[in-house]
Amino acid sequence: ELRGRFIIDPDGVIQAMEVLTPPVGRMLSESIRQIQAFQHVRKTKGAEVCPAGWTPGKKVLKPGPALVGNVWKEWDPFKDH
């Protein structure tokens, strides 16, 4: 027996999925955070991306070749951005 969660955008494209066995629970707050992040990326047409742990109002990143391998220089998940 498995349980799954799928985030599907308005175009019908699966943006995220998670499948778990029953002994491990899911966090509704994390699902909501991810939906908000996908909404933000869609609103900015991909000009801004949301790092792990991002919440609305926090720092976003500008994607591009310079960011590859350098996210750690721009984003500290333990720092309040």
Side-chain angles (χ1 to χ4, degrees), residues 12-56:
V13 177
I14 295 173
Q15 294 294 326
M17 64 181 146
E18 177 181 47
V19 177
L20 299 168
T21 58
V24 175
R26 296 164 286 176
M27 278 184 73
L28 179 60
S29 62
E30 176 60 7
S31 297
I32 292 170
R33 184 198 71 78
Q34 289 177 342
I35 290 168
Q36 291 170 324
F38 282 115
Q39 289 174 333
H40 181 85
V41 171
R42 185 178 178 90
K43 182 176 79 173
T44 65
K45 298 180 177 15
E48 296 177 348
V49 296
C50 303
W54 175 88
T55 56

